[in-house]
Amino acid sequence: MMQTAQQQQPLLSTSFPAEFTPGARSAVRTCLRVQPEEKVTLITDEKCLSIAASIAAELEDLGCIWNGFILEQLAPRPLANMPQAVLDDMETSQVSIFAVEVQPNELRSRMQMTDVVNRQGIRHAHMVNITPEIMTQGMRADYQAVDELSQAVLDRVQKATYVRATTPAGTDLHVALSPEYKWFKTSGIISREKWGNLPGGECFTAPGEVNGVFVVDGVVGDYLCARYGILEHTPLTIWIEGNRIRRVACDNKQLEEDFWAYTHTDGNSDRVGEFAIGTNIGVTKVIGNILQDEKFPGIHIAFGDPYGAHTGAPWRSSTHIDVVGLHFNIWLGDEHGETQIMQNGEFLIQP
């Protein structure tokens, strides 16, 4: 499928604030490095239309072939499956961009999309729940600097056998790392090897085993993030044993109930599938949006799917939910001892 005016016109005719342009330019030219001879699939929805329009304007200015898709015009929401027209278009693209406000129970459709991304080696920008605030904050980060710091973190964590982490709120974690599982850097500079979220800025793996307590005084992910916002004053405490959730507690009992239900959707929904260190030093605070907040300097973990196609973890889940804490102290350890790389949320290492 090649470029058609019908697939471009709705985005090209949608207005957007001028302050979106730097973030859109960063996405297209710095993070994705789109070339004029390449083809791009741009996927959006009605909520994110103006943001996608700013990206479309950059693609148009670059002169590349691109097709735009507005999900509500193709299928009812929440999506049961990713529309076939989108998947078919991606088959002939070198780059894809997904700028959408997600709805409950749509993970399956996103996994169908990323299956194509992984198989075809597409440079994919995952801009889930992108907002105007993020376009004017996290998307304006110096991604070359974020990439350099991310590489410095990656070089160190790949040599460690465990990570120890604490926070003033009560987090106390011990994370055993498995040499069988790969670390990845998703710094915002996106490659064919691993699609990435934008804004970017993290190093992640599937952990060998996690034990301890994680106090979520930042945010929880997926659709619960929009529902409950920043949790600094009503933190969610999670007790983890043998990589599984054993207990949760929160003064907000509805959050406690919703989180427990989400993490018990299938047999692996309560299993720690991701361990990550946020490295976006352009992000100075959590804002109540997981897309940006998980890149906040510190640690986040996710329960559910471990992105096994990349990490090498041999199991899967139909769910994946991140949790973010604040003000981390982080130590990397091996048989020779420990090295602290973060104190009270500030990195102690230099690129």
Side-chain angles (χ1 to χ4, degrees):
M1 182 183 294
M2 298 304 287
Q3 177 173 305
T4 68
Q6 183 179 6
Q7 288 164 313
Q8 293 182 337
Q9 201 280 330
L11 288 169
L12 292 179
S13 63
T14 298
S15 63
F16 59 89
E19 54 263 31
F20 287 0
T21 296
R25 183 173 297 127
S26 179
V28 169
R29 298 177 185 267
T30 303
C31 298
L32 287 163
R33 303 181 312 286
V34 179
Q35 302 301 306
E37 65 273 14
E38 292 186 307
K39 175 174 170 284
V40 181
T41 302
L42 174 59
I43 308 151
T44 190
D45 64 1
E46 292 172 354
K47 287 288 186 70
C48 299
L49 199 57
S50 64
I51 291 171
S54 71
I55 295 170
E58 288 299 313
L59 296 173
E60 192 73 3
D61 185 63
L62 192 63
C64 67
I65 295 171
W66 65 276
N67 287 322
F69 297 90
I70 301 169
L71 291 177
E72 287 86 355
Q73 296 181 1
L74 302 174
R77 305 285 299 277
L79 295 177
N81 295 284
M82 185 60 62
Q84 193 61 44
V86 173
L87 299 177
D88 289 346
D89 192 76
M90 291 175 67
E91 293 285 351
T92 58
S93 291
Q94 291 75 50
V95 176
S96 56
I97 302 168
F98 185 71
V100 171
E101 183 178 289
V102 300
Q103 297 185 17
N105 304 313
E106 288 192 329
L107 183 62
R108 170 185 166 85
S109 65
R110 298 198 297 277
M111 291 175 78
Q112 291 169 339
M113 176 182 64
T114 56
D115 282 347
V116 178
V117 168
N118 295 337
R119 174 167 48 80
Q120 294 289 76
I122 298 171
R123 303 197 307 281
H124 175 74
H126 209 55
M127 304 176 78
V128 171
N129 295 333
I130 189 76
T131 64
E133 188 175 19
I134 293 174
M135 283 299 289
T136 57
Q137 290 184 19
M139 281 309 302
R140 288 193 176 192
D142 179 347
Y143 280 105
Q144 294 298 337
V146 172
D147 185 64
E148 290 171 4
L149 174 62
S150 301
Q151 187 62 51
V153 171
L154 185 68
D155 291 342
R156 289 162 173 79
V157 295
Q158 287 177 325
K159 298 172 185 175
T161 58
Y162 71 89
V163 180
R164 189 168 62 84
T166 65
T167 69
T171 294
D172 191 351
L173 280 187
H174 188 280
V175 181
L177 301 173
S178 171
E180 298 179 3
Y181 299 160
K182 294 180 181 177
W183 276 94
F184 276 88
K185 173 189 72 171
T186 55
S187 62
I189 307 298
I190 295 171
S191 69
R192 294 187 62 191
E193 182 185 26
K194 175 66 182 82
W195 59 266
N197 291 330
L198 287 182
E202 66 175 313
C203 294
F204 77 93
T205 187
E209 185 173 306
V210 179
N211 289 284
V213 180
F214 194 106
V215 178
V216 189
D217 53 349
V219 294
V220 295
D222 208 292
Y223 64 91
L224 296 183
C225 190
R227 182 173 294 177
Y228 294 105
I230 300 171
L231 304 180
E232 194 164 10
H233 300 299
T234 54
L236 173 71
T237 302
I238 307 169
W239 286 264
I240 304 166
E241 295 177 13
N243 232 40
R244 300 273 186 170
I245 296 174
R246 294 305 175 204
R247 183 160 66 96
V248 301
C250 184
D251 288 344
N252 185 334
K253 294 305 174 185
Q254 189 61 56
L255 168 57
E256 182 181 316
E257 180 180 320
D258 286 350
F259 183 80
W260 183 264
Y262 189 108
T263 54
H264 289 80
T265 303
D266 64 36
N268 281 323
S269 292
D270 69 339
R271 187 173 180 177
V272 184
E274 177 188 1
F275 173 80
I277 298 176
T279 56
N280 192 323
I281 47 180
V283 175
T284 58
K285 62 180 180 179
V286 294
I287 61 172
N289 186 308
I290 193 65
L291 176 64
Q292 179 167 299
D293 291 343
E294 69 174 4
K295 314 311 185 313
F296 181 75
I299 283 175
H300 67 274
I301 62 175
F303 299 95
D305 196 75
Y307 300 137
H310 300 289
T311 63
W315 52 276
R316 295 195 76 171
S317 173
S318 63
T319 63
H320 182 96
I321 189 165
D322 298 275
V323 294
V324 178
L326 306 176
H327 311 301
F328 270 93
N329 305 297
I330 305 173
W331 294 264
L332 305 181
D334 58 22
E335 69 273 17
H336 303 297
E338 292 184 341
T339 302
Q340 189 170 7
I341 65 165
M342 176 173 281
Q343 184 172 10
N344 197 31
E346 298 288 335
F347 280 105
L348 301 178
I349 57 177
Q350 298 295 324

